[in-house]
Amino acid sequence: MPAGPELARGFTLAGADAAFVDDPYPTYAALREHSPVHALGPGSWLLTRYDDVLAVYRASSVSSDKKREFAPKFGESPLFEHHTSSLVFNDPPLHTRVRRLLVGALNQQAIARMEAGVAVLVDRLIDRMHSLAEPDLIEDFAACIPVEVIGNLLGVPTADRGPLRDWSLAILSALEPQPSAEVLARGNAAVEDFKTYLRTLVAERRRHPGDGQFDVLTRLIQGEVGGERLNEIELLHNCIFLLNAGHETTTNLIGNGAHALLTQREQWPRLLEDPSLLGTAVEELLRYESPLQLNNRLTTGPLRIGGVDVPEGSFLTLAIGSANRDPAQFHEPERLDVGRKPNPHLAFGQGAHACAGMNVARLEARIAFGRLLARCPQLRLRGTPKRDPRIRFRGWRTLPVSL
């Protein structure tokens, strides 16, 4: 493997190779040391140090609006419409309106109400895995949990949930640094199929509203009392965003976490002996293998980052996976420690754009790992897992296991 300076020199995300996909952390370490504010091209920078990433999250002179970035990438297309209408890639006032509605629906009472149902779901999935000759922890477990949870929050009928995962993967894969024409075509088709389905679901919910305190779709349709409502395009695309974001990151959290625990076996018996560590374990798994590895911001004014003057209108790529392994912030960051405290990881972001569903993801992961530990204490990897080749989202396509 090249030495640190060579790894950092000339690195581009668009040119990332298979070795980086498999293990990006040596490259991130080299960048933190030798090129922490790394030029990716004219007006584009990659940030790999914790303090710099956190500073950008907290800065007032940055934007999450992606119209300028996505216009050349997607053109006038369903993908452009989606990714410039949803919560995550917008600034106030749209971001404020949508986030207020979501956070109100995902309150502590609503999350507590979900817990028993998630536990029943997880146990049912484990029962089914016990009946399979060759269970896969992604397809048969991790990917199933968030689809059901978010499907329940939006009131998607169980019989309609089959296509949701494929639509999600197709849409989010288009966010990679250099998506192929085939990836873009699949993503555009998925947005259209998703919208077609949601129009029917929304029309039905308008006729028969649910309880706005717990039914997120009803809450999005009705808006705040006396407040402005979302228009039809905003409504459809934020429903897509909810299903995509809730599915992708939680699937990866559970899959990445299971792989880490099963390959660093000293942590598995530690959790078996002390289940009270589940809460800190989930935080550590989020830090150790962050499901979302890269995020982006656009500067709306000049910014000084890590000693570098970055001009207004610059694209910033925030390497969350690198920040969460920065030795300047975390003691022995390459070591998995399920009891790590404090653990100020950045897996959920910071500030106004911090993940609105973070506590739902924590609930799902805590129950998933808790039930696996209780019911499958001898869980082992079986065969060779297959890595998801994307670099913005880090996860596994397959994770064959023996119960």
Side-chain angles (χ1 to χ4, degrees):
M1 179 176 288
E6 294 177 46
L7 272 177
R9 187 181 303 117
F11 173 78
T12 65
L13 292 170
D17 57 15
F20 180 83
V21 171
D22 183 60
D23 183 6
Y25 301 110
T27 301
Y28 284 149
L31 287 164
R32 284 194 305 269
E33 182 175 356
H34 301 287
S35 187
V37 184
H38 183 72
L40 292 173
S44 180
W45 308 83
L46 173 66
L47 310 183
T48 50
R49 287 181 178 170
Y50 182 96
D51 285 347
D52 295 337
V53 172
L54 180 60
V56 171
Y57 271 136
R58 292 178 171 174
S60 59
S61 56
V62 296
S63 168
S64 292
D65 189 296
K66 295 295 190 292
K67 294 182 180 67
R68 179 180 149 192
E69 179 183 349
F70 287 164
K73 185 174 186 175
F74 297 137
E76 292 187 14
S77 67
L79 279 168
F80 181 79
E81 181 186 82
H82 170 64
H83 287 306
T84 58
S85 299
S86 65
L87 170 71
V88 69
F89 295 139
N90 265 288
D91 295 328
L94 174 62
H95 176 269
T96 306
R97 285 190 288 132
V98 178
R99 184 179 177 88
R100 188 181 296 124
L101 291 171
L102 293 182
V103 170
L106 299 177
N107 56 61
Q108 289 302 317
Q109 182 183 1
I111 291 173
R113 185 183 181 188
M114 294 166 53
E115 185 160 358
V118 175
V120 169
L121 166 65
V122 168
D123 274 332
R124 187 170 71 243
L125 293 171
I126 292 174
D127 287 341
R128 184 174 177 275
M129 283 201 297
H130 275 292
S131 72
L132 299 175
E134 297 183 341
D136 184 279
L137 204 66
I138 302 301
E139 181 179 355
D140 301 317
F141 188 72
C144 303
I145 297 170
V147 166
E148 295 302 311
V149 170
I150 304 298
N152 288 341
L153 284 172
L154 288 172
V156 177
T158 302
D160 295 348
R161 297 177 187 180
L164 297 183
R165 184 186 181 200
D166 287 342
W167 287 341
S168 174
L169 289 172
I171 293 168
L172 294 179
S173 292
L175 292 174
E176 287 295 285
Q178 281 194 322
S180 66
E182 182 183 1
V183 167
L184 292 174
R186 282 201 303 269
N188 282 316
V191 172
E192 289 298 288
D193 289 343
F194 222 145
K195 285 166 58 182
T196 297
Y197 171 72
L198 285 171
R199 286 190 182 98
T200 302
L201 185 68
V202 167
E204 175 63 22
R205 199 61 49 81
R206 289 189 194 279
R207 289 191 295 269
H208 304 287
D211 182 345
Q213 186 175 0
F214 302 110
D215 184 322
V216 175
L217 180 54
T218 295
R219 193 178 184 93
L220 289 174
I221 290 170
Q222 295 177 343
E224 294 183 297
V225 176
E228 184 181 355
R229 296 187 180 186
L230 301 179
N231 65 40
E232 189 76 2
I233 289 296
E234 292 169 347
L235 175 62
L236 295 176
H237 286 299
N238 280 288
C239 288
I240 294 174
F241 159 72
L242 275 176
L243 285 158
N244 288 352
H247 167 263
E248 183 75 7
T249 51
T250 307
T251 297
N252 289 349
L253 166 57
I254 296 170
N256 290 346
H259 183 268
L261 290 171
L262 295 177
T263 52
Q264 302 194 40
R265 290 299 302 193
E266 72 280 0
Q267 299 298 309
W268 185 262
R270 189 177 172 193
L271 281 174
L272 283 171
E273 293 166 11
D274 187 2
S276 70
L277 290 173
L278 272 172
T280 56
V282 169
E283 301 306 310
E284 175 69 345
L285 296 171
L286 282 160
R287 180 200 71 84
Y288 187 75
E289 285 275 36
S290 303
L292 178 67
Q293 290 274 304
L294 303 171
N295 210 339
N296 301 94
R297 293 293 186 268
L298 175 69
T299 61
T300 57
L303 204 61
R304 186 166 179 81
I305 310 169
V308 176
D309 290 316
V310 175
E312 178 182 350
S314 297
F315 292 112
L316 303 179
T317 298
L318 313 181
I320 302 165
S322 174
N324 282 343
R325 296 217 186 177
D326 188 341
Q329 178 64 42
F330 300 99
H331 178 65
E332 296 183 345
E334 303 299 324
R335 182 173 68 89
L336 183 69
D337 175 8
V338 296
R340 184 183 296 271
K341 282 185 178 182
N343 195 345
H345 64 77
L346 300 177
F348 289 129
Q350 285 272 324
H353 278 81
C355 175
M358 66 176 77
N359 288 327
V360 177
R362 285 176 167 129
L363 172 73
E364 294 172 80
R366 179 172 55 79
I367 293 175
F369 288 119
R371 298 310 295 151
L372 282 174
L373 285 158
R375 298 193 54 195
C376 310
Q378 301 303 316
L379 187 69
R380 293 285 188 279
L381 291 176
R382 172 185 50 81
T384 304
K386 183 178 179 181
R387 168 74 64 189
D388 186 323
R390 294 175 297 170
I391 59 174
R392 179 176 293 273
F393 300 96
R394 184 162 177 81
W396 296 94
R397 286 279 174 87
T398 67
L399 202 60
V401 293
S402 170
L403 304 185

